[in-house]
Amino acid sequence: MEYPHVRPVIIGSGLIAESHAKALRDLGTSPAVVWSPNPSNRERFAARWGATAAATLQEALDVPGVSHAHICTTPMNHNDAIREAAERGMTVISEKPLAPTALLAAEALHHVTANDVPNFLNFNRRQDEGIQVLRDLLAEGEIGSPVSVFGHYRQQWNASPSGLDWRYDPSQVGPTRTVVEIGSHWLDLAHFVLGAEITEANATLGYMGERDYEVAGEKGRVTPPNDDFFMAMLKFENGVIGQVYGTELSHGSFDEIELRVDGTTGSAVWTSAHPNQLRIGNKVTGLRTIGWDSDGDSLSRSISAIYTDKAKEKGVATFADGLANARALDAIHLSAASRTWKETR
């Protein structure tokens, strides 16, 4: 199926913008125009995807006929593009998280609601089949009433030798790094499958300190100003309690996520290593696996659901979900600073 009437704009030209462009190509369309603040990057991106490179954000959004704005900039820099696109009546698709703080997320939500435009947030792991099945089975009472949820998100990106990019810059990533970058994904998955928001958090942040870095042949030493790992205890509005551990220091872990829900009559476990499967456990009947062991393509599924009008059916996140997520990010950050439980509202 092709979508010749669709003319997407991509704001940003990094790795996630490339993923959005690929997902659009899979749908039979391509970005009409791209803008990012780096001229050489946007020119390279435009040449790769057959798009026009705009000189300014406003120029990109004023191209005749453009319909969808994909916001693929760094987390602290979403809102200007969201506001400009919403004021032009465009469908707005933002990368996750919507914002690193509740204040910025509320501002983003205001822009789309005030202009009454469709809005979506690319928490793409919602679209893995195992997560879709988990949400449905929990709603059907497959494991009884959920009692607890716990898991982890582990990466090796910041293990020595680390990378060296915008994620070390609080003015781009926000007040935390691992909480915003990877914690936001896990927190959203728990919210999504339980159908309940986080109400309180008690957390701690951890820092490795100075380490080697290596980027494009350049080597050196760096001490990032932000967190390398975090742990958080959580309370949900439906009475479920939870715990999550997130780290960017886990050697050998490329992108490893686990989400486990224990209920009154069973347990369910999903892992990103087998994204389209779900394991169900019961102490009497044993373990069973639902789904198939195949590679994930959750980002393409997320973009496809938006463009094929299946976003509501598939549970694609909206900016309202993004605000709930940002409140949880705030609570974790403030809890770690104060060493006390913090509410999300």
Side-chain angles (χ1 to χ4, degrees):
M1 186 177 294
E2 296 186 354
Y3 295 84
H5 60 288
V6 169
R7 302 202 72 204
V9 177
I10 292 185
I11 308 302
S13 57
L15 180 62
I16 198 63
E18 293 276 348
S19 297
H20 278 242
K22 181 182 181 301
L24 289 169
R25 185 182 64 189
D26 292 343
L27 277 172
T29 188
S30 60
V33 59
V34 61
W35 177 81
S36 78
N38 186 307
S40 61
N41 285 355
R42 67 179 181 245
E43 291 289 347
R44 183 166 55 249
F45 185 97
R48 175 175 171 81
W49 295 102
T52 298
T56 66
L57 170 63
Q58 292 74 19
E59 179 183 316
L61 297 173
D62 284 337
V63 169
V66 292
S67 56
H68 294 64
H70 292 243
I71 314 303
C72 299
T73 53
T74 55
M76 286 289 285
N77 297 303
H78 286 172
N79 280 12
D80 284 347
I82 288 170
R83 175 179 51 80
E84 295 273 5
E87 288 176 351
R88 289 163 171 79
M90 300 175 68
T91 295
V92 185
I93 304 162
S94 176
E95 255 307 310
K96 51 64 56 180
L98 178 60
T101 69
L103 183 63
L104 288 174
E107 180 184 313
L109 179 59
H110 169 74
H111 293 322
V112 295
T113 54
N115 291 283
D116 193 25
V117 297
N119 56 93
F120 304 101
L121 181 58
N122 190 41
F123 275 121
N124 57 285
R125 300 314 302 236
R126 289 186 176 202
Q127 302 308 312
D128 285 313
E129 192 61 27
I131 290 292
Q132 292 277 307
V133 171
L134 176 56
R135 177 185 65 153
D136 293 344
L137 292 185
L138 288 179
E140 294 165 5
E142 176 71 21
I143 63 170
S145 298
V147 174
S148 62
V149 58
F150 57 96
H152 63 252
Y153 197 138
R154 301 203 302 251
Q155 289 182 335
Q156 66 177 8
W157 178 82
N158 199 36
S160 187
S162 78
L164 186 65
D165 64 13
W166 58 268
R167 292 171 180 85
Y168 284 167
D169 181 359
S171 71
Q172 297 191 68
V173 75
T176 64
R177 173 164 37 90
T178 52
V179 181
V180 166
E181 277 291 284
I182 60 178
S184 60
H185 260 307
W186 192 95
L187 297 167
D188 178 73
L189 287 178
H191 166 203
F192 178 61
V193 301
L194 292 173
E197 292 185 13
I198 296 165
T199 58
E200 293 182 69
N202 192 331
T204 186
L205 306 183
Y207 306 81
M208 187 174 75
E210 188 178 26
R211 79 287 311 268
D212 293 328
Y213 75 85
E214 183 174 350
V215 179
E218 178 187 343
K219 298 181 181 181
R221 297 280 288 175
V222 63
T223 303
N226 41 25
D227 49 296
D228 293 305
F229 60 92
F230 77 97
M231 292 175 282
M233 294 183 291
L234 308 166
K235 295 179 183 179
F236 291 78
E237 62 182 341
N238 59 355
V240 171
I241 61 170
Q243 184 178 43
V244 60
Y245 171 63
T247 179
E248 292 181 340
L249 300 178
S250 186
H251 291 267
S253 296
F254 175 70
D255 207 39
E256 184 178 315
I257 314 171
E258 180 174 292
L259 182 74
R260 180 185 182 98
V261 182
D262 290 338
T264 53
T265 61
S267 298
V269 184
W270 173 84
T271 70
S272 58
H274 306 282
N276 297 315
Q277 289 185 329
L278 181 70
R279 286 187 293 135
I280 301 290
N282 179 277
K283 68 181 294 184
V284 176
T285 60
L287 289 169
R288 62 191 172 96
T289 300
I290 300 172
W292 57 94
D293 194 9
S294 57
D295 293 337
D297 57 352
S298 60
L299 194 145
S300 288
R301 290 184 182 191
S302 184
I303 300 301
S304 176
I306 293 167
Y307 279 83
T308 58
D309 296 323
K310 294 181 179 179
K312 186 175 181 179
E313 171 191 339
K314 295 295 185 180
V316 175
T318 65
F319 280 24
D321 295 313
L323 176 56
N325 185 262
R327 286 172 173 157
L329 301 180
D330 272 357
I332 289 173
H333 175 227
L334 295 173
S335 170
S338 65
R339 299 185 180 182
T340 60
W341 283 91
K342 287 294 182 180
E343 296 183 353
T344 57
R345 296 181 185 271

